[in-house]
Amino acid sequence: MITGVRALATRWTVAVPVLAVVLLAGTWGRDLPGAVVALVSVVLAGSVLAAVHHAEVVAHRVGEPFGSLVLAVAVTVIEVALIVTLMADGGDKSATLARDTVFAAVMITCNGIVGLSLLTAALRHRVAVFQSEGTGGALATVATLATLCLVLPTFTTSKPGPEFSTSQLVFAAVAAVVLYGLFVATQTVRHRDYFLPVTKHGEVIDADDHVGVPTTRAALTSLVLLALALVAVVGLAKGVSPAIESGVEAAGLPHAVVGVIIALLVLLPETIAALRAARRDRVQTSLNLALGSAMASIGLTVPAVAIASFWLSGPLLLGLGATHMVLLTLTMVVGTLTVVPGRATPLQGGVHLVILAAYVELAVTP
């Protein structure tokens, strides 16, 4: 019975990415009727779940913290591609799309994924345990990137509005790439042990607790299928984005809600993977996914849109408003207080989730 279930799971995770790519080829560049939008949405959700499965296979093969890095970068590539393609089609109304999506990703990862992971692990295992050294460094990097790329444009005076001048944008893009590269080197080479899961007694878990590490062939197959699933997610999401934007406008919601929806969509794989890790009491893996994704979202998206802005029409507005800056500050202060002890109870998870709820409420009714 168990073998049959595993075989079925393997078949659908292979079939869905292939089906999604075929569907993408048939719908690309066309106006989609309601029934097709519904079909695309179902296949899109299946592609996200398939991407989670194949990313976890690859992660299991390469081990931590490389596995978390693979999924974080893969998901961020989706976000970058989606933002750039929507900006290319959106004109002036998409001037704030990059800012809205990146900030939504930061709030969802630093409060939503972190909060759910801590709450899940603490309820299941009484206390959520992780390494403050690695997690603190990751949070500091996220705070610096967010401030440089999302807060400073509001206060610069070279150009009117929350917009960088060309030289300032280039500096922010280069700084983002350098900081992200430095973090990756720290996480995977020089201080890899700071980002490994730990037991309740503080002992580092360097060995995987899964039975049967995937073969190299299986990992490479999953890597190819992961790439197909991610391409399908980007393309299909772009196809249904007009329906999303029309729905947001019809509901009378701010255009910033589109960025929230995009971020929720592309971060779904990491959310599922982080919760699975938290249930196994591997909270450090969950935090690696959450903060690594927030960091990659800024460190890869801002340079990408900076390059794209040279041929895209319209301004690129990156600066946050006062309300969002308050939420960002609150997130970083609370995150610091959560990280420093290296242990968390359900209270810390609940606090982060309340901050996320406040962000969603203010995004819908600013």
Side-chain angles (χ1 to χ4, degrees):
M1 178 67 177
I2 296 177
T3 303
V5 172
R6 289 177 177 173
L8 179 61
T10 301
R11 284 197 294 271
W12 83 260
T13 54
V14 172
V16 168
V18 176
L19 173 62
V21 171
V22 172
L23 184 61
L24 174 61
T27 58
W28 182 259
R30 300 182 182 181
D31 293 330
L32 305 180
V36 177
V37 169
L39 174 62
V40 169
S41 300
V42 172
V43 176
L44 177 60
S47 298
V48 169
L49 296 176
V52 173
H53 169 78
H54 293 299
E56 288 187 333
V57 172
V58 175
H60 190 187
R61 176 62 184 175
V62 301
E64 284 297 324
F66 299 97
S68 300
L69 183 64
V70 168
L71 185 54
V73 172
V75 170
T76 306
V77 168
I78 298 178
E79 181 183 342
V80 171
L82 198 52
I83 289 174
V84 172
T85 53
L86 291 178
M87 287 181 66
D89 296 339
D92 289 343
K93 70 177 183 179
S94 64
T96 62
L97 180 63
R99 178 198 68 189
D100 295 337
T101 306
V102 169
F103 183 64
V106 172
M107 297 301 292
I108 291 168
T109 53
C110 293
N111 290 310
I113 299 180
V114 168
L116 284 173
S117 298
L118 294 179
L119 187 63
T120 299
L123 289 176
R124 191 176 179 86
H125 305 283
R126 186 175 173 80
V127 176
V129 182
F130 50 90
Q131 298 209 60
S132 59
E133 295 91 344
T135 309
L139 183 63
T141 308
V142 172
T144 301
L145 286 172
T147 302
L148 288 177
C149 299
L150 300 178
V151 175
L152 287 183
T154 303
F155 298 99
T156 56
T157 57
S158 297
K159 297 190 73 172
E163 184 179 0
F164 273 144
S165 66
T166 301
S167 63
Q168 291 168 343
L169 183 60
V170 170
F171 169 78
V174 172
V177 171
V178 169
L179 278 176
Y180 184 66
L182 183 59
F183 172 79
V184 170
T186 302
Q187 183 186 36
T188 58
V189 181
R190 191 170 182 86
H191 295 289
R192 174 175 172 268
D193 54 314
Y194 287 178
F195 298 90
L196 295 175
V198 291
T199 67
K200 285 184 171 58
H201 304 291
E203 299 171 353
V204 174
I205 304 172
D206 199 2
D208 203 303
D209 62 347
H210 287 72
V211 177
V213 176
T215 63
T216 300
R217 180 179 178 180
L220 290 175
T221 300
S222 283
L223 186 62
V224 172
L225 290 170
L226 173 62
L228 286 178
L230 295 180
V231 169
V233 168
V234 173
L236 295 178
K238 185 178 185 299
V240 300
S241 62
I244 294 175
E245 292 180 342
S246 299
V248 169
E249 292 178 1
L253 299 175
H255 192 264
V257 174
V258 175
V260 178
I261 295 173
I262 292 173
L264 285 170
L265 175 65
V266 300
L267 289 171
L268 181 57
E270 288 194 318
T271 303
I272 296 173
L275 288 178
R276 287 178 177 175
R279 285 175 60 85
R280 294 187 291 110
D281 203 19
R282 298 296 183 262
V283 180
Q284 186 63 51
T285 300
S286 301
L287 298 182
N288 289 347
L289 284 166
L291 298 178
S293 178
M295 201 180 310
S297 181
I298 306 173
L300 298 181
T301 301
V302 171
V305 297
I307 294 172
S309 67
F310 288 107
W311 73 79
L312 293 177
S313 60
L316 176 61
L317 305 181
L318 291 176
L320 296 173
T323 302
H324 285 169
M325 281 191 282
V326 170
L327 288 173
L328 178 62
T329 302
L330 179 61
T331 297
M332 294 308 154
V333 170
V334 171
T336 302
L337 296 175
T338 297
V339 165
V340 168
R343 303 168 72 86
T345 65
L347 174 62
Q348 283 94 332
V351 170
H352 282 281
L353 291 176
V354 167
I355 297 174
L356 176 65
Y359 162 69
V360 173
E361 168 63 22
L362 293 172
V364 173
T365 55

